[in-house]
Amino acid sequence: MKHIIILGDGMADHAVARLHGKTPLQFAKTPFMDMLARKGKTGRLVTIPDGFHPGSEVANTAILGYDLHEVYEGRGPLEAASIGYEMRPEDLALRCNLITLENDVIQTHNGGNITTDNGDTLIRHLNEKLGDDRVRFITGIQYRHLLIVKNGSKHIMCAPPHDHPNEPWQQLLVKPEPGWETRSEPGRISAQETAELLNRLIIRSRELLDNHPYNQRRTALGKRPANCVWPWGGGYRPSMKTLMEMFPTIKSGSVISAVDLIRGIGHYAGLEIIKVEGATGLADTNYEGKVEAAIDELKRKDFVFLHIEASDEAGHDGDLDLKLQTIEALDQRIVKPVFEEVKAWKEPVCIAVLPDHPTPVEIRTHVNEPVPFLIWYKGMAADAVRTFDESSCMDGSFGLLKLEQFMQTFMNV
C-alpha cells in the first residue's frame, strides 16, 4: 500500500459569527473531503507537545512521527536544509523574515507579500552592508530567508512575527533565555551577546531597507514596504532518523511544498524535495502543478507528503473570504484529482487529509488546539462521521490521537 498525506496548513479555525457560527471548514463547500470522511475514518490529533510553541515546524514534524523533544532545533535549520545550505557544527541558523513596520508596530509578517526576486534584492543588499565573518544573510523564498550567525547561541527568546500583528516591535526584540544571560557553550558566544547582535541587525536593517529604492517605490504607491528583517526560530543542526529508518514499509518518498521549513523537514526525514514551478505558498499557488507532481511521485514511490500553505497565510492576514477560497481550492483542486486518480489503481493508496494547527482568521495567529483528520483507502470500513470539520471529527472512530501516534496509525492502516 502507498500513502499520501495532504496537509492544508492552518486550515482549522474557530466558529465565526459572520458564518452564522460555523467555522470556515464547516461553511466552505468541501464535497470531496466530506466524501472521504464518509467513506473512511476520522479523528482528532494533538500536534503540539506540551511546552512547545504552536508553529508549523513543530506540528508538521510531529505529524511525520518525530518526538520533538529529541529532534527539535527550530525553524532556522529547516530553512537551511530546504535551500541547500549544509550547516556547520558552529552555525546558529535563524529564520529571517522580511516584515513591515509601520507606526512602531509589526504591520505584517510577510513584507507586503514580497516576491522572491524582490526579496533576493533586499537580502543581498543587507548581506553586502551587514554581512561579515560572523553574520551571513542567505536568500530563501518570498519573505522567508535565512540568517547564519557563526558561534551564536540558540538560548535566546525570539518573537515569531506572525504571532504579533499590530504589536509594538521594540517590546519584541530578542532576549536571552532566563538563566542563560551570561552562560555560553564551548566555542560559542553567550546568549546575551547573541541577542544584542541580533537586535543590532534588526535596527540597522530598518535604516537600510527604509532607504532602499524598492521600498521607496512601494511607499510612494501606498503599498506596504518590506522595511525590516526579523530573525527567529534559531537552532543548531538537528539529528533526525529518516522515515525509512522509522517505518520499514516506506522505501522511498517525496515532499512537495512551496515552504522552506516543510522542505527542510522533508530533507532531514530522507524525502526527496520536489519543487513545482509556480508554487508560491499563497492562494495563487500552482495547485494543478502540485497535484501532477504528487501523482507522478506516488506512481514511483511509497510515500508523498503534499503540503499546501494558502489557508495559513489567509488566516494570518485575517482574510475570511480568502480562507474560504483556499479551503475550497484544496478540496476541488487537490483532494478531488488525487482521489479520482488513485481510486482505480491496482495497488491501493491510503490518503490522509488534515491541517497542522488552527490559524483562526479572527486571531491571526496559530493556536494550540487539536485538529481534525481523515484517513481513507478503497474498501475501508467507515465510521459514522459524515462531514470533515473540527466538530464532526470529535465523533470519529480514531478518537483523539497525540503527536507521533498519527503517523504510527497511518502507516499501520
Side-chain angles (χ1 to χ4, degrees):
M1 180 178 286
K2 295 175 181 283
H3 292 77
I4 180 170
I5 295 175
I6 300 173
L7 192 134
D9 200 300
M11 182 167 59
D13 210 300
H14 292 165
V16 178
R18 288 172 288 169
L19 302 180
H20 312 293
K22 294 183 177 181
T23 70
L25 192 54
Q26 290 173 317
F27 189 86
K29 295 179 175 62
T30 56
F32 282 85
M33 285 189 278
D34 291 343
M35 178 267 294
L36 290 181
R38 286 195 303 274
K39 291 178 176 287
K41 294 182 178 180
T42 66
R44 293 191 305 150
L45 175 64
V46 174
T47 62
I48 309 297
D50 291 342
F52 282 80
H53 181 80
S56 291
E57 78 283 10
V58 172
N60 282 274
T61 302
I63 287 168
L64 284 173
Y66 291 95
D67 183 339
L68 272 296
H69 295 283
E70 295 181 357
V71 306
Y72 183 70
E73 282 288 346
R75 284 204 182 194
L78 302 177
E79 306 282 349
S82 74
I83 61 177
Y85 178 83
E86 289 297 333
M87 291 182 64
R88 297 183 292 269
E90 67 270 20
D91 286 342
L92 169 68
L94 300 106
R95 164 75 170 268
C96 187
N97 280 41
L98 286 167
I99 69 171
T100 302
L101 297 182
E102 290 182 359
N103 300 320
D104 289 327
V105 302
I106 295 178
Q107 186 67 39
T108 174
H109 69 286
N110 58 24
N113 286 324
I114 190 170
T115 66
T116 298
D117 286 345
N118 289 323
D120 178 57
T121 297
L122 298 185
I123 290 296
R124 288 177 180 271
H125 179 65
L126 291 175
N127 196 56
E128 178 184 341
K129 298 295 184 182
L130 302 177
D132 54 27
D133 291 342
R134 170 157 286 171
V135 171
R136 182 180 176 190
F137 291 89
I138 301 173
T139 300
I141 295 177
Q142 296 167 333
Y143 64 89
R144 305 181 293 269
H145 303 282
L146 182 68
L147 173 60
I148 300 293
V149 178
K150 184 178 179 181
N151 299 324
S153 171
K154 70 176 181 179
H155 297 286
I156 52 178
M157 298 165 57
C158 302
H162 56 268
D163 284 345
H164 299 277
N166 300 317
E167 294 184 26
W169 67 273
Q170 291 179 326
Q171 299 176 14
L172 302 170
L173 288 170
V174 184
K175 302 174 181 64
E177 288 182 3
W180 279 89
E181 289 86 352
T182 58
R183 293 174 58 189
S184 61
E185 299 164 288
R188 296 185 181 272
I189 61 176
S190 71
Q192 181 68 47
E193 291 172 300
T194 303
E196 290 173 353
L197 171 61
L198 294 175
N199 290 333
R200 288 196 300 270
L201 293 174
I202 291 171
I203 293 168
R204 184 74 178 114
S205 77
R206 188 179 186 190
E207 298 169 0
L208 291 168
L209 294 180
D210 265 336
N211 294 316
H212 192 278
Y214 168 79
N215 284 320
Q216 290 182 336
R217 290 193 299 270
R218 295 278 295 182
T219 302
L221 293 171
K223 297 181 179 181
R224 289 174 173 171
N227 60 358
C228 187
V229 293
W230 199 267
W232 60 287
Y236 310 148
R237 181 183 175 91
S239 177
M240 290 171 59
K241 291 183 178 180
T242 67
L243 289 181
M244 297 75 182
E245 293 171 315
M246 295 168 62
F247 302 99
T249 55
I250 300 178
K251 306 301 182 185
S252 59
S254 298
V255 57
I256 301 169
S257 176
V259 177
D260 287 352
L261 76 93
I262 304 299
R263 293 175 178 176
I265 295 169
H267 171 80
Y268 289 118
L271 303 177
E272 182 180 355
I273 298 172
I274 306 299
K275 296 183 178 180
V276 175
E277 185 176 356
T280 65
L282 301 171
D284 64 353
T285 196
N286 182 1
Y287 289 96
E288 287 68 30
K290 281 191 163 187
V291 164
E292 182 179 358
I295 291 171
D296 287 346
E297 291 303 300
L298 203 56
K299 287 178 179 177
R300 61 191 185 93
K301 294 179 182 172
D302 304 303
F303 179 86
V304 171
F305 188 72
L306 175 57
H307 174 270
I308 310 295
E309 173 75 2
S311 291
D312 187 59
E313 293 296 330
H316 285 307
D317 285 342
D319 192 329
L320 178 59
D321 290 339
L322 184 61
K323 185 159 190 181
L324 291 169
Q325 292 174 26
T326 63
I327 292 171
E328 292 179 352
L330 184 87
D331 186 80
Q332 291 294 313
R333 300 169 70 181
I334 297 290
V335 177
K336 175 183 178 181
V338 168
F339 167 75
E340 293 193 333
E341 169 68 28
V342 306
K343 67 181 182 181
W345 286 11
K346 290 183 179 180
E347 182 173 5
V349 176
C350 190
I351 298 174
V353 181
L354 74 163
D356 52 349
H357 52 67
T359 308
V361 291
E362 295 185 332
I363 298 176
R364 296 182 58 189
T365 189
H366 303 169
V367 295
N368 184 0
E369 297 170 1
V371 298
F373 72 89
L374 68 84
I375 295 176
W376 169 89
Y377 66 85
K378 188 176 181 180
M380 184 178 193
D383 61 22
V385 172
R386 312 303 294 170
T387 58
F388 182 66
D389 57 66
E390 300 88 347
S391 178
S392 296
C393 289
M394 290 182 180
D395 298 323
S397 57
F398 284 120
L400 180 67
L401 301 184
K402 295 183 178 180
L403 307 169
E404 55 265 33
Q405 289 179 336
F406 169 79
M407 190 67 172
Q408 293 163 2
T409 300
F410 184 51
M411 293 309 302
N412 286 326
V413 167

